[in-house]
Amino acid sequence: MRAAAISTPRLDKMPGMFFSANPKDLKETGHSLLDDKTQKRRPKTFGMDVKAYLRSMIPHLESGMKSSKSKDILSADEVMQWSQSLEKLLANQTGQNVFGNFLKSEFSEENIEFWLACEDYKKTESDLLHCKAEKIYKAFVHSDAAKQINIDFRTRESTAKKIKAPTHTCFDEAQKIIYTLMEKDSYPRFLKSNIYLNLLNDLQANSLK
């Protein structure tokens, strides 16, 4: 089975991605999107988003370009592995992007944005923890947050106390709740969605050429 040669698209060039293409939004390490105010959500034609996204993900299918052994290859086998667990899906950069696009279509992209922000936060240097913790809290956890995540009151209050003396684990409890929410709710729907199935089918068809 041949793998389809796929050039991993830059995040600022990905159509419909949950990361902004505005350079000003990307100037801070990790998730400068934390400083952004959420714009009013407008319904989009999901079918068109899927088609546009697949065109960007699989630019060489119609050209019949031969596969290479580049690290940027995305194979049907790799995409099939995303169905094994949410952990495997999120461990893959392209998987994060595809899943994020799906969540955006369901107006719940704040979940993966928060999860990714927490992953980035864990790698933050100690002297920057306080500043970054405040941004994550204000963007996702505070009761008036523009992209408020769905966590219980106790966890919200507990997190508020932890960021006063932030450590690398102060968002762990909230992150675990959001991961579980995605795992039990969004992830099963993602595996049945057009955006996942079309991508998989196109890669499988190309591997048979």
Side-chain angles (χ1 to χ4, degrees):
M1 181 178 292
R2 289 198 292 122
I6 304 299
S7 299
T8 304
R10 290 174 49 192
L11 291 181
D12 60 343
K13 299 295 183 182
M14 292 280 280
M17 282 295 89
F18 49 90
F19 292 101
S20 172
N22 189 332
K24 293 181 180 179
D25 296 336
L26 302 174
K27 62 184 178 181
E28 289 195 18
T29 302
H31 299 276
S32 56
L33 54 84
L34 303 179
D35 297 323
D36 297 338
K37 293 183 178 180
T38 304
Q39 297 180 350
K40 292 183 179 180
R41 293 171 173 174
R42 298 184 298 274
K44 296 184 178 180
T45 305
F46 182 54
M48 293 303 295
D49 286 348
V50 171
K51 291 178 182 179
Y53 182 71
L54 290 176
R55 282 198 297 269
S56 72
M57 287 296 299
I58 316 175
H60 307 309
L61 285 179
E62 294 184 357
S63 68
M65 179 176 287
K66 294 181 180 180
S67 62
S68 68
K69 294 183 178 180
S70 166
K71 66 179 181 180
D72 292 330
I73 287 176
L74 181 67
S75 69
D77 286 342
E78 185 178 5
V79 174
M80 285 182 68
Q81 289 177 13
W82 297 351
S83 66
Q84 295 178 10
S85 68
L86 178 60
E87 181 180 3
K88 285 199 173 185
L89 172 63
L90 295 180
N92 183 280
Q93 180 65 59
T94 305
Q96 292 176 12
N97 295 337
V98 177
F99 186 52
N101 197 49
F102 170 74
L103 291 181
K104 188 171 185 177
S105 75
E106 294 200 327
F107 304 109
S108 60
E109 67 269 25
E110 69 276 0
N111 290 331
I112 193 168
E113 289 181 4
F114 173 69
W115 187 87
L116 288 170
C118 291
E119 290 297 290
D120 175 74
Y121 175 79
K122 294 174 184 177
K123 304 171 187 176
T124 302
E125 296 180 5
S126 298
D127 58 338
L128 299 176
L129 283 179
H130 189 273
C131 178
K132 189 168 286 189
E134 283 285 345
K135 289 182 179 180
I136 294 175
Y137 177 78
K138 290 179 180 179
F140 298 106
V141 183
H142 192 277
S143 58
D144 293 326
K147 297 184 178 183
Q148 185 184 134
I149 53 173
N150 185 16
I151 55 177
D152 59 273
F153 177 79
R154 186 194 65 78
T155 302
R156 201 178 303 278
E157 290 298 300
S158 173
T159 303
K161 292 178 182 178
K162 290 176 181 177
I163 67 167
K164 292 180 180 179
T167 65
H168 286 94
T169 61
C170 64
F171 290 105
D172 281 7
E173 186 178 8
Q175 186 186 20
K176 184 177 180 181
I177 291 174
I178 294 305
Y179 181 90
T180 301
L181 179 64
M182 291 191 295
E183 184 178 42
K184 293 184 177 181
D185 185 38
S186 304
Y187 176 62
R189 289 198 302 276
F190 167 73
L191 296 179
K192 298 177 182 178
S193 70
N194 288 334
I195 195 168
Y196 174 72
L197 295 177
N198 288 348
L199 175 59
L200 179 59
N201 290 338
D202 284 338
L203 287 169
Q204 288 176 328
N206 189 60
S207 70
L208 299 175
K209 291 181 180 179

